[in-house]
């Protein structure tokens, strides 16, 4: 049986806030199931990460490829 992630786990896996994880689902970018709350299959999450690697998803209405040299240095702490 495939593993299902609750939305809090999805947010943690993607290292985003819970609200943003719901935005990904509500926009249709990240497929989910409603059982009775939203859950995401592990396979769907893996496919999402692979599909959008190298893309800027900060504005879900204007997704674009990340340009080389446009990535700033951030503190990972």
């Amino acid at each position: 049986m495939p593993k299902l992630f609750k939305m809090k786990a999805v947010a943690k896996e993607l290292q985003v806030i819970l609200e943003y994880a719901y935005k990904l689902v509500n926009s249709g970018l990240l497929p989910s199931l409603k059982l009775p709350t939203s859950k995401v299959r592990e396979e769907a999450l893996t496919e999402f990460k692979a599909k959008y690697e190298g893309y800027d998803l900060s504005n879900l209405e204007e997704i674009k490829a990340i340009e080389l040299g446009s990535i700033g240095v951030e503190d990972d702490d």
Side-chain angles (χ1 to χ4, degrees), residues 2 9-10 22 30 35 42 46 62 64 71 73 77:
V10 170
Y22 275 106
L30 181 59
L35 300 169
E42 181 176 30
T46 300
E62 190 180 323
K64 55 188 172 187
I71 301 172
V73 176
D77 291 330

Side-chain angles (χ1 to χ4, degrees), residues 8-9 22 26-27 67 70:
K8 281 186 179 182
Y22 275 106
N26 291 333
S27 70
E67 296 178 23
S70 68

Side-chain angles (χ1 to χ4, degrees), residues 4-39:
L4 297 175
F5 286 90
K6 293 180 180 180
M7 292 305 294
K8 281 186 179 182
V10 170
K12 184 176 180 180
E13 179 71 20
L14 295 175
Q15 299 181 8
V16 298
I17 62 172
L18 184 58
E19 179 184 356
Y20 188 76
Y22 275 106
K23 284 182 181 182
L24 292 171
V25 167
N26 291 333
S27 70
L29 294 173
L30 181 59
S32 69
L33 305 163
K34 190 99 169 166
L35 300 169
T37 60
S38 294
K39 295 182 177 63

